Amino acid sequence: MGTQGDGNHFLFVGISKNTGNTMMVTHHGSRAPGAALYDKGMKTANRFRQEISPETLRENAWIPYDTEEGKSYWEALQLIRQWTKENHTSLHDAVLNKLAMEKENRYWNEHNFVFKDGDLFYHAKGATPLDDKFMPDITGPRLIPLNMAEPVLIVQGKTNERNLGFAPHGAGRNFSRSQHKRSLAHKTTEEIFNEETEGLDIRFYSNEVDISELPSAYKSAKNVRAQIEEYGLCEVLDEVMPYGCIMAGDVQKNAPWKKKKKFRKA
Protein backbone atom coordinates (compact mmCIF):
# COMPACT_ATOMS: atom_id res chain seq x y z
CA MET A 1 0.00 0.00 0.00
CA GLY A 2 1.25 3.47 -0.87
CA THR A 3 3.62 2.44 -3.66
CA GLN A 4 3.33 2.74 -7.42
CA GLY A 5 4.55 -0.65 -8.62
CA ASP A 6 6.39 -1.51 -11.82
CA GLY A 7 5.87 -2.06 -15.54
CA ASN A 8 3.79 0.67 -17.18
CA HIS A 9 2.71 2.19 -13.86
CA PHE A 10 3.32 5.91 -13.69
CA LEU A 11 2.76 9.21 -11.91
CA PHE A 12 2.00 11.91 -14.50
CA VAL A 13 1.93 15.66 -13.90
CA GLY A 14 0.39 18.14 -16.31
CA ILE A 15 -1.68 21.27 -16.77
CA SER A 16 -5.42 21.38 -17.43
CA LYS A 17 -6.05 22.84 -20.87
CA ASN A 18 -9.32 24.33 -19.63
CA THR A 19 -8.30 25.83 -16.30
CA GLY A 20 -4.51 25.97 -16.19
CA ASN A 21 -4.56 24.02 -12.91
CA THR A 22 -1.81 21.53 -12.15
CA MET A 23 -3.10 17.96 -12.22
CA MET A 24 -1.53 14.68 -11.12
CA VAL A 25 -2.59 11.36 -12.62
CA THR A 26 -1.52 7.99 -11.23
CA HIS A 27 -1.89 4.76 -13.16
CA HIS A 28 -1.69 1.31 -11.62
CA GLY A 29 -3.95 -1.65 -11.04
CA SER A 30 -4.42 -4.07 -8.18
CA ARG A 31 -0.77 -5.14 -8.19
CA ALA A 32 0.33 -8.13 -6.08
CA PRO A 33 -2.97 -8.60 -4.16
CA GLY A 34 -4.90 -8.66 -7.45
CA ALA A 35 -2.42 -11.08 -9.02
CA ALA A 36 -2.72 -13.43 -6.04
CA LEU A 37 -6.53 -13.37 -6.22
CA TYR A 38 -6.46 -13.96 -9.99
CA ASP A 39 -4.14 -16.95 -9.57
CA LYS A 40 -6.38 -18.53 -6.96
CA GLY A 41 -9.49 -17.70 -9.00
CA MET A 42 -8.11 -19.34 -12.14
CA LYS A 43 -7.33 -22.53 -10.23
CA THR A 44 -10.90 -22.60 -8.95
CA ALA A 45 -12.24 -21.82 -12.43
CA ASN A 46 -10.23 -24.66 -13.92
CA ARG A 47 -11.79 -27.09 -11.47
CA PHE A 48 -15.25 -26.03 -12.68
CA ARG A 49 -14.10 -26.24 -16.30
CA GLN A 50 -12.99 -29.84 -15.85
CA GLU A 51 -16.38 -30.73 -14.38
CA ILE A 52 -18.65 -28.70 -16.70
CA SER A 53 -16.83 -28.31 -20.01
CA PRO A 54 -13.49 -30.16 -20.25
CA GLU A 55 -13.21 -29.35 -23.97
CA THR A 56 -13.00 -25.61 -23.15
CA LEU A 57 -9.47 -24.21 -23.19
CA ARG A 58 -7.90 -23.85 -19.75
CA GLU A 59 -7.39 -20.09 -20.23
CA ASN A 60 -11.14 -19.69 -20.90
CA ALA A 61 -12.18 -21.30 -17.64
CA TRP A 62 -14.83 -19.57 -15.54
CA ILE A 63 -16.48 -19.75 -12.13
CA PRO A 64 -20.30 -19.98 -12.30
CA TYR A 65 -21.68 -17.00 -10.41
CA ASP A 66 -24.55 -18.97 -8.87
CA THR A 67 -22.10 -21.05 -6.81
CA GLU A 68 -20.61 -20.23 -3.42
CA GLU A 69 -17.20 -19.89 -5.08
CA GLY A 70 -18.61 -17.53 -7.72
CA LYS A 71 -20.17 -15.18 -5.20
CA SER A 72 -17.06 -15.30 -2.99
CA TYR A 73 -14.83 -14.46 -5.96
CA TRP A 74 -17.00 -11.49 -6.91
CA GLU A 75 -16.91 -10.22 -3.31
CA ALA A 76 -13.13 -10.62 -3.28
CA LEU A 77 -12.89 -8.62 -6.53
CA GLN A 78 -14.78 -5.77 -4.84
CA LEU A 79 -12.24 -5.79 -1.98
CA ILE A 80 -9.42 -5.66 -4.53
CA ARG A 81 -11.20 -2.80 -6.26
CA GLN A 82 -11.35 -0.87 -2.97
CA TRP A 83 -7.70 -1.66 -2.20
CA THR A 84 -6.67 -0.26 -5.58
CA LYS A 85 -8.67 2.91 -5.09
CA GLU A 86 -7.21 3.42 -1.60
CA ASN A 87 -3.70 2.92 -2.95
CA HIS A 88 -4.20 5.71 -5.48
CA THR A 89 -5.66 7.90 -2.75
CA SER A 90 -2.69 7.30 -0.45
CA LEU A 91 -0.24 8.38 -3.19
CA HIS A 92 -2.16 11.57 -3.91
CA ASP A 93 -2.53 12.37 -0.21
CA ALA A 94 1.21 11.86 0.33
CA VAL A 95 1.99 14.41 -2.38
CA LEU A 96 -0.55 16.89 -1.04
CA ASN A 97 0.86 16.55 2.48
CA LYS A 98 4.43 16.97 1.31
CA LEU A 99 3.56 20.11 -0.65
CA ALA A 100 1.21 21.41 2.06
CA MET A 101 -1.53 21.84 -0.54
CA GLU A 102 -5.27 21.25 -0.68
CA LYS A 103 -6.85 19.37 -3.56
CA GLU A 104 -9.46 21.16 -5.64
CA ASN A 105 -10.95 18.03 -7.18
CA ARG A 106 -10.33 14.29 -7.41
CA TYR A 107 -11.80 11.47 -9.45
CA TRP A 108 -10.79 8.03 -10.55
CA ASN A 109 -11.83 5.03 -12.60
CA GLU A 110 -10.77 1.45 -13.06
CA HIS A 111 -9.75 -0.15 -16.33
CA ASN A 112 -9.01 -3.75 -17.33
CA PHE A 113 -11.50 -4.88 -14.71
CA VAL A 114 -14.69 -6.94 -14.63
CA PHE A 115 -18.02 -5.17 -14.26
CA LYS A 116 -21.51 -6.48 -13.57
CA ASP A 117 -24.89 -5.30 -14.83
CA GLY A 118 -27.66 -7.56 -13.58
CA ASP A 119 -26.60 -11.09 -14.46
CA LEU A 120 -24.30 -9.93 -17.28
CA PHE A 121 -20.55 -9.60 -16.70
CA TYR A 122 -18.29 -7.39 -18.80
CA HIS A 123 -14.62 -8.37 -18.95
CA ALA A 124 -13.34 -4.93 -19.88
CA LYS A 125 -9.82 -5.66 -21.09
CA GLY A 126 -8.41 -2.49 -22.65
CA ALA A 127 -11.55 -0.58 -21.68
CA THR A 128 -12.58 2.20 -19.30
CA PRO A 129 -16.14 2.23 -17.91
CA LEU A 130 -18.27 5.19 -18.96
CA ASP A 131 -21.73 4.25 -17.76
CA ASP A 132 -22.36 5.09 -14.10
CA LYS A 133 -24.06 1.70 -13.60
CA PHE A 134 -20.64 0.06 -13.66
CA MET A 135 -19.22 2.35 -10.94
CA PRO A 136 -21.79 3.18 -8.24
CA ASP A 137 -19.23 5.27 -6.30
CA ILE A 138 -18.18 7.41 -9.27
CA THR A 139 -17.49 11.06 -8.42
CA GLY A 140 -16.54 12.61 -11.76
CA PRO A 141 -15.44 12.04 -15.35
CA ARG A 142 -13.06 9.31 -16.55
CA LEU A 143 -9.36 9.39 -17.46
CA ILE A 144 -7.69 8.04 -20.62
CA PRO A 145 -3.88 8.22 -20.65
CA LEU A 146 -2.25 7.87 -24.09
CA ASN A 147 1.51 8.14 -23.61
CA MET A 148 3.92 10.28 -21.59
CA ALA A 149 4.29 12.87 -24.37
CA GLU A 150 0.55 13.25 -25.04
CA PRO A 151 -2.29 14.73 -22.99
CA VAL A 152 -4.31 12.59 -20.61
CA LEU A 153 -7.91 12.84 -21.82
CA ILE A 154 -10.69 13.62 -19.34
CA VAL A 155 -13.89 12.17 -20.79
CA GLN A 156 -17.52 11.39 -20.14
CA GLY A 157 -20.12 9.40 -22.01
CA LYS A 158 -23.08 7.07 -21.97
CA THR A 159 -23.85 3.65 -23.38
CA ASN A 160 -24.50 3.61 -27.11
CA GLU A 161 -24.71 0.90 -29.79
CA ARG A 162 -20.99 1.15 -30.47
CA ASN A 163 -19.34 1.36 -27.06
CA LEU A 164 -21.39 -0.92 -24.75
CA GLY A 165 -20.83 1.70 -22.05
CA PHE A 166 -17.02 1.75 -22.30
CA ALA A 167 -14.25 3.91 -23.77
CA PRO A 168 -10.68 2.90 -24.67
CA HIS A 169 -8.39 2.87 -21.65
CA GLY A 170 -5.33 4.07 -23.56
CA ALA A 171 -3.40 3.80 -26.79
CA GLY A 172 -2.23 0.20 -26.44
CA ARG A 173 1.08 -1.18 -27.63
CA ASN A 174 2.36 -1.31 -31.20
CA PHE A 175 4.52 -4.33 -30.45
CA SER A 176 5.59 -6.48 -27.55
CA ARG A 177 8.25 -5.02 -25.27
CA SER A 178 10.97 -7.23 -26.73
CA GLN A 179 9.96 -6.49 -30.33
CA HIS A 180 10.05 -2.77 -29.67
CA LYS A 181 13.51 -2.98 -28.13
CA ARG A 182 14.79 -4.97 -31.11
CA SER A 183 13.40 -2.40 -33.56
CA LEU A 184 15.49 0.33 -31.89
CA ALA A 185 18.67 -1.69 -31.43
CA HIS A 186 20.55 0.57 -33.89
CA LYS A 187 20.32 3.48 -31.41
CA THR A 188 21.63 3.94 -27.90
CA THR A 189 19.20 4.14 -25.00
CA GLU A 190 20.31 7.73 -24.39
CA GLU A 191 19.60 8.73 -28.00
CA ILE A 192 16.14 7.17 -27.93
CA PHE A 193 15.30 8.76 -24.58
CA ASN A 194 16.45 12.25 -25.63
CA GLU A 195 14.52 12.12 -28.92
CA GLU A 196 11.25 10.93 -27.44
CA THR A 197 11.15 13.01 -24.25
CA GLU A 198 12.40 16.37 -25.54
CA GLY A 199 10.85 19.24 -23.57
CA LEU A 200 9.48 16.95 -20.86
CA ASP A 201 10.66 16.04 -17.36
CA ILE A 202 10.66 12.24 -17.54
CA ARG A 203 12.15 10.21 -14.70
CA PHE A 204 12.49 6.52 -13.95
CA TYR A 205 12.21 5.42 -10.34
CA SER A 206 14.74 2.61 -10.79
CA ASN A 207 17.14 5.03 -12.54
CA GLU A 208 17.11 2.63 -15.49
CA VAL A 209 15.43 3.94 -18.66
CA ASP A 210 12.89 1.46 -20.02
CA ILE A 211 12.59 2.26 -23.74
CA SER A 212 9.60 -0.09 -24.01
CA GLU A 213 7.60 2.56 -22.11
CA LEU A 214 8.55 5.52 -24.34
CA PRO A 215 5.96 7.02 -26.75
CA SER A 216 7.07 5.04 -29.83
CA ALA A 217 6.18 1.80 -28.04
CA TYR A 218 2.51 2.77 -28.18
CA LYS A 219 -0.03 3.24 -30.93
CA SER A 220 -0.59 6.67 -32.41
CA ALA A 221 -2.40 8.87 -29.90
CA LYS A 222 -3.70 10.91 -32.83
CA ASN A 223 -5.34 7.82 -34.36
CA VAL A 224 -6.90 6.79 -31.06
CA ARG A 225 -8.43 10.23 -30.65
CA ALA A 226 -9.68 10.19 -34.24
CA GLN A 227 -11.38 6.83 -33.66
CA ILE A 228 -12.97 8.06 -30.43
CA GLU A 229 -14.51 10.93 -32.41
CA GLU A 230 -15.38 8.90 -35.51
CA TYR A 231 -17.24 6.22 -33.58
CA GLY A 232 -18.69 8.48 -30.91
CA LEU A 233 -17.15 6.46 -28.10
CA CYS A 234 -17.07 9.30 -25.57
CA GLU A 235 -16.85 13.09 -25.20
CA VAL A 236 -13.51 14.73 -24.38
CA LEU A 237 -14.11 17.36 -21.67
CA ASP A 238 -10.53 18.44 -20.97
CA GLU A 239 -6.91 17.51 -21.60
CA VAL A 240 -4.06 17.31 -19.11
CA MET A 241 -1.16 18.75 -21.09
CA PRO A 242 2.06 16.87 -20.22
CA TYR A 243 4.77 18.38 -18.06
CA GLY A 244 6.46 15.16 -16.99
CA CYS A 245 6.10 11.85 -15.25
CA ILE A 246 7.82 9.23 -13.14
CA MET A 247 7.87 5.74 -14.62
CA ALA A 248 8.95 2.60 -12.81
CA GLY A 249 11.95 2.06 -15.11
CA ASP A 250 13.65 -1.13 -16.22
CA VAL A 251 12.88 -3.18 -13.13
CA GLN A 252 14.77 -6.20 -14.45
CA LYS A 253 18.01 -4.26 -14.00
CA ASN A 254 17.64 -2.11 -10.92
CA ALA A 255 14.40 -2.71 -9.05
CA PRO A 256 14.67 -1.22 -5.52
CA TRP A 257 12.76 -4.13 -3.97
CA LYS A 258 15.17 -6.65 -5.53
CA LYS A 259 18.07 -4.79 -3.94
CA LYS A 260 16.36 -5.05 -0.57
CA LYS A 261 15.90 -8.80 -1.00
CA LYS A 262 19.61 -9.22 -1.81
CA PHE A 263 20.52 -7.15 1.24
CA ARG A 264 18.33 -9.29 3.51
CA LYS A 265 19.92 -12.47 2.17
CA ALA A 266 23.40 -11.10 2.78
Side-chain angles (χ1 to χ4, degrees):
M1 175 64 72
T3 60
Q4 188 68 37
D6 59 11
N8 69 346
H9 299 169
F10 61 75
L11 185 155
F12 175 101
V13 176
I15 307 297
S16 163
K17 192 174 182 180
N18 289 351
T19 66
N21 289 344
T22 298
M23 303 183 77
M24 186 178 92
V25 180
T26 50
H27 166 87
H28 66 261
S30 54
R31 317 240 337 267
L37 175 62
Y38 172 79
D39 183 60
K40 188 166 185 176
M42 284 303 294
K43 289 176 181 176
T44 302
N46 191 52
R47 192 176 75 242
F48 278 104
R49 177 193 69 85
Q50 291 171 326
E51 295 173 2
I52 300 171
S53 180
E55 69 278 7
T56 296
L57 294 175
R58 185 184 182 94
E59 54 266 33
N60 292 335
W62 76 100
I63 306 174
Y65 181 63
D66 58 358
T67 63
E68 182 180 350
E69 293 91 337
K71 290 182 171 59
S72 293
Y73 187 63
W74 177 253
E75 290 171 4
L77 282 173
Q78 305 319 299
L79 290 173
I80 287 293
R81 175 183 188 272
Q82 189 62 30
W83 184 93
T84 305
K85 184 177 181 180
E86 291 298 329
N87 197 53
H88 281 278
T89 299
S90 69
L91 291 170
H92 286 249
D93 286 348
V95 172
L96 289 170
N97 291 338
K98 185 70 174 178
L99 297 176
M101 295 176 65
E102 294 289 330
K103 66 175 171 53
E104 183 172 310
N105 206 344
R106 176 185 284 167
Y107 35 86
W108 87 297
N109 60 263
E110 302 126 311
H111 65 278
N112 286 357
F113 199 65
V114 59
F115 301 91
K116 183 174 178 288
D117 180 24
D119 61 355
L120 186 62
F121 292 85
Y122 293 80
H123 294 266
K125 179 64 177 173
T128 289
L130 285 174
D131 199 309
D132 287 356
K133 67 185 178 184
F134 297 128
M135 297 185 67
D137 60 349
I138 197 65
T139 58
R142 317 312 192 241
L143 299 157
I144 303 179
L146 297 170
N147 67 57
M148 63 175 66
E150 295 286 340
V152 172
L153 307 182
I154 299 178
V155 306
Q156 69 177 11
K158 297 181 179 179
T159 300
N160 61 45
E161 60 184 10
R162 290 186 181 274
N163 67 17
L164 297 179
F166 294 88
H169 101 267
R173 289 187 171 276
N174 274 319
F175 315 100
S176 69
R177 291 175 183 273
S178 55
Q179 280 180 303
H180 179 67
K181 289 179 178 179
R182 285 195 297 270
S183 72
L184 295 172
H186 60 289
K187 296 181 179 181
T188 67
T189 296
E190 186 178 8
E191 286 173 336
I192 299 164
F193 177 76
N194 289 338
E195 286 175 11
E196 298 200 27
T197 65
E198 186 177 0
L200 299 172
D201 184 351
I202 306 298
R203 309 181 188 194
F204 290 86
Y205 185 72
S206 69
N207 291 320
E208 295 286 349
V209 174
D210 183 354
I211 62 172
S212 68
E213 288 300 334
L214 295 178
S216 62
Y218 289 88
K219 294 175 183 175
S220 164
K222 182 179 178 181
N223 288 349
V224 173
R225 294 195 60 166
Q227 290 167 353
I228 286 174
E229 186 172 341
E230 179 181 356
Y231 297 109
L233 300 178
C234 58
E235 175 190 1
V236 177
L237 300 176
D238 194 5
E239 302 173 46
V240 187
M241 311 306 291
Y243 175 82
C245 71
I246 303 172
M247 302 292 301
D250 193 337
V251 296
Q252 299 304 318
K253 291 184 180 179
N254 199 25
W257 53 91
K258 289 186 177 180
K259 284 184 177 180
K260 290 177 184 177
K261 285 182 181 178
K262 288 180 183 177
F263 178 76
R264 284 199 296 268
K265 287 179 182 177

